[in-house]
Amino acid sequence: MVARLHQDANGTLHWLDRDGEDHAGVSLVRAFPLTAPDEAICVVGVHGNELHEFASLAALDDEQRRVIASALSDREFMPVIERINSVSRRWIPTVWAIDTDHGATDLALDSEEAIRRIDERTLLVRDARGICFLIKNYPELDRRSRRLLERFL
Amino acid sequence: MHKDVAASSPLPLDAVPSRSAPIARVELDLDERFNFRTSVLSLDTAGLHWQAAGAVAQHWPIDPALRLTHQSRAGAGCLRLEGPDGTLALWRHTQSVNPAVQRLRDGFRRLLREREGASDSVADDATVICPVCKNPMPAQAEDCPHCERAAENPPSTWILLRLWRFAKPYKKQLILGFILTLVSTFATLVPPYITMPLMDKVLIPSQRGEGIDFAVASMYLGALLGSALLAWALGYWRTYILALISERIGADLREVTFAHLLGLSLEYFGGKRTGDLIARIGAETDRLCVFLSLQLLDFATDLVMIVMTAAILVSIDPLLALVTLTPLPFIVWMAYLVRDKLRFGFEQINRTWAEVTNVLADTIPGIRVVKAFGQEQREIRRFTELNQKNLRMNDRVNRIWALFSPTVTLLTEFGLLIIWAFGIWQVGHGRVSVGVLSAFLAYISRFFTRIDSMSRFVSFTQQAAAGAKRIFDVLDCVPTVPQPNNPQPLGPIQGRIELRNVSFQHGSHTVLREIDLTIAPGEMIGLIGHSGSGKSTLANLICRFYDVSHGSITLDGRDIRSIGLADYRQHIGVVLQEPFLFFGTIAENIAYGRPGASRSEIITAARAANAHDFILRLPLGYDSLVGERGQSLSGGERQRISIARALLTNPSILILDEATSAVDSTTEKEIQKALDRLIEGRTTIAIAHRLSTLRKADRLVVLDQGLIVETGTHEDLMQRHGLYHHFYMNQIQAEEVA
């Protein structure tokens, strides 16, 4: 029996394990959502217990990958900042007007710890509402956005 | 330093039988009724000898029926010689001679054992430990060389010369900088010189109605402009180069101090306060850096300037120069006078500053305790008090300081007055020209502003010297757990640990005595005892956080002192009662002992430590940040992360120091499952208050007052009805009550 992940008509995620047991209502969790989003994606049961780990997506067939992608997109919200249009002030607290991959919005920064460096290229910005914004490829942002951003780093 | 084995004996020891060289000798300083009276107790192969002033010498031969016991309490120790019929003699002494007394007692016991025929090859007294600084001393030395060196270092300005060690790599740039200083200073001295011919050859002739020679005038003006530009360019280059060097020296100093600090043994950190160390590495190095980059540089320029100005003045007119320089000796004398007062002032300021930092370093990590007990106002008061103290110290220094600067200015004004008066008189008699006088005035105003800024340097030097002293205090500290020279690398190990006749002293207090214990590869040992019985010390000795005072610890037959520290500790995993998480992600914390571990290894370790599930529940999984004290995680969660950390390094030897005592019993079960997996196949030394934690132990070792009193399995020890039985029954009762 091959273990599989599938979504039923109601959108509930099921994990059919090797022994043929069906676990309904499971969720997918990335173990390293920032540093390695596509590695170690875990299937977690309703009680928070881990049922399975997909060590890498590459080893899976297209159909599984599609289920995983759609399940993850249902629960993940981490907009990627593409452009900083303006900042209300050059020091914290401040409000940035930004463009993201989910559209334009305002981001209120209220503490210095809100900006976290993940690695050389990636930054994580947590706004006052608690939403995490991601800045990927920070050195490749446009000049103006980079300039505005650098005042806060 | 120890005076306990003083070589000179004030007491005659003639009434004693024939004697060999003494094995141990103690100058006792108390009598039986705790009065301060000296007497001498010594031990040689013939036995014990005691001689008090004005009393008949006494002698006891070595006899297997005798017992010599030692106790110390409330600053005084008591050595008791017991025979079959009771106490034969009793000697009291103060703590200061404790180590010598213990040596005597150990020597006596060894003689007894030898007398009984048991050859004793393990005991070795070759390494003597200094009771003050805990460094091993040369066998024959009276005084500890480490302590001696520390005592030889009074604070002085000369300590700044020791910074040369850090300046040396930048020798070439420094020489270039100095040459630039010379040249650029010289360039700034050209303009006043030109005022002389400008006055005498251009202005004065024109006043006499001879008209102005514009060609000559523009030549001189051009020279003025040229020298100003040259001085500007050279000054810029010089300042830049020297500032660059001094920043690097400062950075090196910080790095070296930090690296040295981390190389010091745990013992050092036990005795120091966090804030103090932070102040030393942060503020103090920065102050030195400013001193080197700005103040020392200015001083050098000033000095060059003064010497050059003096030379130029003398070359123009020696007599006028002599008069001009009259206030100089007074200023030098004043600077000398003020120097000492300032230095002590600045050292005190630095110390107060460190205390202020200490309050921060105490209060911020302990904020929960502060708030829980409602002691915010008290901490604020403590901070305010120290801050006020800091203010007072500064005020005191400033009082001296404030007087100093205006006095220099006053003397400067006097100097100017003298030149004006003397110059006018000289010009009146036609001895000097107006040009010379104006050149002198131009020089002298520069000269005295320089003197003024130079006098400021007095205070900067004292500040820097005080800072340098506090840094070199750290750098001069020798690790008490020394690295062996050229250690043989440790290959794969089995994990057999043997402790042979191990004793450990802390100051004059003996924490562990004559511990003999062999731990087989893969065996789990449970250490049990009251708090203060020496369990944690034993674990610390095995980790080599400290070195044994006597005896030896071997790993697979090799003395651990001969193994490189990092190499050795790589094989040891430690789980402590209070798990410490560094600021960083969970993944980084788990991989702390093995930064190169792959993500799947991290996950595997976390799973084995029962930490995986709760980590997945965090919004950012393994990428979640945990704070300095891991505030968002519970005690049990933090403990499981630290277990995963220990698992990942795959150590052969595992030390669990009260790993579960900080959590409730449900969490304990979770952790216990993780621990059981961790223990498998590793030599384990576990310390626990809860005896249930030790149910998997192959052997239990019960410690009491630094001695091993019982060893065996749970069943063995229960049958013996000893200390373990007592512990066990107590705990069962306590659990029933709960």
Side-chain angles (χ1 to χ4, degrees):
Chain A
M1 182 97 205
V2 183
R4 270 193 97 71
L5 194 69
H6 67 92
Q7 222 159 1
D8 65 18
N10 303 324
T12 309
L13 206 58
H14 291 257
W15 171 247
L16 200 63
D17 71 14
R18 236 176 277 271
D19 305 325
E21 195 181 332
D22 181 74
H23 302 266
V26 299
S27 47
L28 285 181
V29 182
R30 297 191 206 262
F32 300 92
L34 302 174
T35 52
D38 293 338
E39 275 178 46
I41 297 173
C42 301
V43 182
V44 174
V46 277
H47 303 296
N49 50 320
E50 185 195 34
L51 299 170
H52 183 71
E53 178 201 334
F54 296 110
S56 97
L57 288 179
L60 301 173
D61 57 61
D62 287 346
E63 203 272 331
Q64 277 290 275
R65 257 196 301 242
R66 193 193 52 74
V67 175
I68 290 173
S70 98
L72 282 173
S73 68
D74 275 353
R75 59 174 266 139
E76 284 187 332
F77 178 54
M78 204 185 284
V80 176
I81 298 179
E82 287 166 346
R83 219 176 116 80
I84 301 173
N85 294 315
S86 68
V87 299
S88 70
R89 260 192 295 190
R90 293 177 187 181
W91 57 89
I92 285 166
T94 180
V95 178
W96 298 357
I98 52 168
D99 289 345
T100 72
D101 59 346
H102 289 254
T105 182
D106 282 347
L107 179 161
L109 266 185
D110 56 357
S111 87
E112 315 229 339
E113 287 87 50
I115 303 179
R116 179 180 150 198
R117 196 178 276 275
I118 307 296
D119 56 46
E120 298 287 280
R121 319 178 61 79
T122 323
L123 296 170
L124 186 76
V125 186
R126 181 188 289 268
D127 85 344
R129 292 169 289 184
I131 299 174
C132 286
F133 292 88
L134 209 57
I135 300 178
K136 286 179 180 170
N137 280 338
Y138 139 70
E140 280 158 35
L141 278 180
D142 62 294
R143 226 174 117 79
R144 184 181 150 72
S145 302
R146 220 165 52 225
R147 267 227 189 122
L148 290 173
L149 183 62
E150 262 158 16
R151 298 206 182 107
F152 297 94
L153 295 180
Chain B
M1 275 161 277
H2 55 277
K3 299 192 177 78
D4 43 12
V5 267
S8 64
S9 158
L11 303 164
L13 281 162
D14 40 19
V16 219
S18 71
R19 311 189 54 187
S20 56
I23 292 166
R25 185 170 179 284
V26 190
E27 218 166 276
L28 297 166
D29 42 10
L30 292 177
D31 72 3
E32 250 174 278
R33 278 178 222 89
F34 293 101
N35 297 319
F36 287 101
R37 278 178 59 195
T38 49
S39 63
V40 172
L41 182 66
S42 65
L43 174 77
D44 59 27
T45 47
L48 276 170
H49 308 272
W50 182 60
Q51 168 85 64
V56 182
Q58 285 182 278
H59 171 71
W60 295 268
I62 301 287
D63 180 346
L66 293 180
R67 263 164 54 85
L68 191 63
T69 58
H70 180 232
Q71 283 183 321
S72 63
R73 188 168 296 125
C78 170
L79 199 62
R80 191 190 298 267
L81 184 69
E82 288 166 28
D85 309 321
T87 304
L88 295 173
L90 191 146
W91 298 285
R92 294 190 194 278
H93 61 88
T94 64
Q95 292 283 357
S96 61
V97 297
N98 228 356
V101 171
Q102 275 160 8
R103 222 169 302 141
L104 184 128
R105 184 207 54 198
D106 293 344
F108 184 83
R109 290 185 183 168
R110 199 162 58 239
L111 283 178
L112 273 186
R113 260 176 285 173
E114 278 167 17
R115 204 53 56 93
E116 283 164 355
S119 75
D120 192 352
S121 56
V122 229
D124 60 310
D125 283 50
T127 49
V128 182
I129 305 288
C130 169
V132 178
C133 66
K134 306 285 292 152
N135 279 308
M137 306 198 317
Q140 248 65 50
E142 289 272 296
D143 294 327
C144 169
H146 298 286
C147 292
E148 215 166 354
R149 202 174 51 195
E152 269 169 17
N153 274 336
S156 120
T157 319
W158 296 114
I159 200 159
L160 286 170
L161 288 182
R162 296 185 60 192
L163 288 172
W164 175 243
R165 176 181 147 199
F166 294 94
K168 223 172 165 184
Y170 306 99
K171 210 158 60 184
K172 276 187 197 149
Q173 290 101 311
L174 275 172
I175 291 171
L176 174 65
F178 188 69
I179 292 171
L180 285 172
T181 306
L182 284 181
V183 180
S184 67
T185 311
F186 189 75
T188 59
L189 288 175
V190 172
Y193 202 85
I194 294 173
T195 58
M196 216 163 33
L198 259 180
M199 201 61 96
D200 289 343
K201 292 190 180 141
V202 180
L203 288 177
I204 292 179
S206 100
Q207 238 178 7
R208 284 197 212 111
E210 289 170 20
I212 285 176
D213 186 343
F214 284 103
V216 176
S218 54
M219 184 186 81
Y220 286 129
L221 290 179
L224 273 179
L225 180 70
S227 66
L229 286 178
L230 187 69
W232 171 78
L234 290 175
Y236 167 64
W237 192 11
R238 173 207 66 167
T239 312
Y240 178 67
I241 281 193
L242 290 179
L244 221 64
I245 299 169
S246 60
E247 281 296 340
R248 272 157 191 69
I249 294 176
D252 290 351
L253 193 62
R254 258 192 295 277
E255 277 168 31
V256 169
T257 316
F258 184 66
H260 186 84
L261 187 70
L262 286 198
L264 291 175
S265 331
L266 265 190
E267 203 174 351
Y268 182 83
F269 292 91
K272 292 284 173 203
R273 302 189 59 187
T274 319
D276 180 60
L277 292 176
I278 292 174
R280 281 180 202 222
I281 294 184
E284 235 74 78
T285 51
D286 196 52
R287 204 195 315 268
L288 276 183
C289 185
V290 171
F291 171 75
L292 291 173
S293 64
L294 296 174
Q295 294 149 0
L296 190 63
L297 184 59
D298 283 345
F299 178 73
T301 318
D302 294 343
L303 204 65
V304 169
M305 179 83 102
I306 284 168
V307 171
M308 280 188 180
T309 316
I312 292 170
L313 290 182
V314 169
S315 78
I316 300 172
D317 188 323
L319 184 65
L320 195 55
L322 196 70
V323 173
T324 312
L325 298 178
T326 4
L328 188 61
F330 288 100
I331 293 173
V332 173
W333 176 69
M334 258 181 59
Y336 183 76
L337 215 64
V338 167
R339 199 188 58 175
D340 281 336
K341 289 196 174 189
L342 284 180
R343 185 170 61 219
F344 289 114
F346 285 126
E347 230 201 303
Q348 274 179 317
I349 289 174
N350 284 358
R351 241 177 283 138
T352 322
W353 184 242
E355 281 178 51
V356 172
T357 326
N358 271 333
V359 176
L360 294 179
D362 270 356
T363 315
I364 296 169
I367 188 67
R368 289 184 53 174
V369 182
V370 175
K371 286 200 176 292
F373 286 89
Q375 296 297 316
E376 291 95 333
Q377 285 310 317
R378 170 184 150 165
E379 295 297 337
I380 292 169
R381 227 173 14 249
R382 193 152 78 104
F383 187 82
T384 314
E385 264 167 33
L386 285 169
N387 206 28
Q388 291 300 323
K389 189 175 164 200
N390 189 28
L391 214 55
R392 278 198 302 280
M393 296 291 174
N394 271 299
D395 286 351
R396 195 186 298 168
V397 169
N398 288 340
R399 209 170 300 144
I400 305 168
W401 187 235
L403 184 69
F404 188 62
S405 221
T407 313
V408 172
T409 318
L410 182 69
L411 288 174
T412 316
E413 296 297 332
F414 280 154
L416 277 173
L417 196 70
I418 293 170
I419 303 165
W420 272 113
F422 191 73
I424 290 170
W425 183 64
Q426 288 279 57
V427 171
H429 287 78
R431 292 204 192 104
V432 294
S433 67
V434 176
V436 170
L437 179 61
S438 63
F440 260 71
L441 287 167
Y443 273 122
I444 213 67
S445 59
R446 283 167 191 241
F447 187 86
F448 280 113
T449 46
R450 287 300 170 169
I451 296 254
D452 188 40
S453 80
M454 233 173 112
S455 61
R456 244 171 266 277
F457 181 73
V458 176
S459 100
F460 296 143
T461 324
Q462 299 317 322
Q463 243 171 345
K469 182 185 164 277
R470 285 163 53 79
I471 287 170
F472 282 111
D473 276 350
V474 176
L475 285 178
D476 289 342
C477 208
V478 187
T480 50
V481 177
Q483 273 277 20
N485 297 323
N486 305 319
Q488 285 281 314
L490 194 64
I493 62 164
Q494 292 181 304
R496 169 185 296 279
I497 302 170
E498 280 176 79
L499 292 94
R500 285 275 155 271
N501 193 32
V502 165
S503 298
F504 180 71
Q505 287 180 353
H506 195 275
S508 56
H509 173 61
T510 305
V511 187
L512 286 176
R513 260 178 283 161
E514 292 160 13
I515 301 286
D516 277 296
L517 185 64
T518 305
I519 307 169
E523 189 181 20
M524 178 179 177
I525 291 282
L527 289 180
I528 296 160
H530 292 288
S531 40
S533 60
K535 299 172 306 225
S536 288
T537 309
L538 192 60
N540 284 341
L541 286 178
I542 292 172
C543 288
R544 218 183 153 217
F545 288 149
Y546 305 102
D547 267 344
V548 296
S549 309
H550 288 281
S552 65
I553 299 176
T554 58
L555 172 64
D556 293 348
R558 212 176 131 183
D559 193 311
I560 59 170
R561 280 171 293 194
S562 72
I563 305 168
L565 275 175
D567 198 15
Y568 178 62
R569 296 208 183 118
Q570 210 186 337
H571 293 279
I572 296 184
V574 182
V575 181
L576 301 170
Q577 180 173 6
E578 263 297 307
F580 189 88
L581 301 187
F582 292 94
F583 181 81
T585 65
I586 288 185
E588 282 161 358
N589 265 293
I590 293 177
Y592 189 74
R594 236 184 80 201
S598 73
R599 293 196 180 91
S600 66
E601 285 173 315
I602 292 174
I603 292 183
T604 311
R607 271 203 201 109
N610 261 355
H612 184 63
D613 286 350
F614 87 76
I615 293 172
L616 285 185
R617 249 170 268 150
L618 299 172
L620 292 176
Y622 284 82
D623 289 331
S624 308
L625 276 186
V626 284
E628 282 163 73
R629 287 169 290 284
Q631 264 152 350
S632 54
L633 298 179
S634 74
E637 288 169 339
R638 272 182 284 155
Q639 190 57 283
R640 278 177 276 169
I641 289 179
S642 81
I643 292 172
R645 183 193 285 165
L647 263 168
L648 193 59
T649 58
N650 193 20
S652 312
I653 299 160
L654 193 64
I655 290 172
L656 308 175
D657 194 347
E658 306 272 12
T660 57
S661 55
V663 295
D664 60 86
S665 49
T666 326
T667 318
E668 189 194 346
K669 269 179 206 130
E670 289 257 320
I671 294 178
Q672 198 58 51
K673 267 187 259 165
L675 281 178
D676 289 348
R677 247 170 261 155
L678 179 59
I679 288 162
E680 233 158 86
R682 303 176 212 275
T683 309
T684 305
I685 294 132
I687 299 173
H689 275 305
R690 277 195 206 135
L691 300 179
S692 58
T693 325
L694 300 177
R695 69 198 147 73
K696 283 222 165 181
D698 299 300
R699 227 162 11 126
L700 299 169
V701 173
V702 185
L703 283 171
D704 189 35
Q705 291 182 19
L707 282 169
I708 292 182
V709 289
E710 288 170 20
T711 317
T713 61
H714 170 76
E715 290 74 23
D716 290 347
L717 295 181
M718 287 305 284
Q719 276 172 9
R720 209 176 293 182
H721 283 273
L723 199 59
Y724 179 78
H725 183 262
H726 175 73
F727 273 127
Y728 190 79
M729 291 327 249
N730 266 359
Q731 214 161 75
I732 287 192
Q733 269 173 14
E735 271 162 30
E736 274 169 7
V737 171

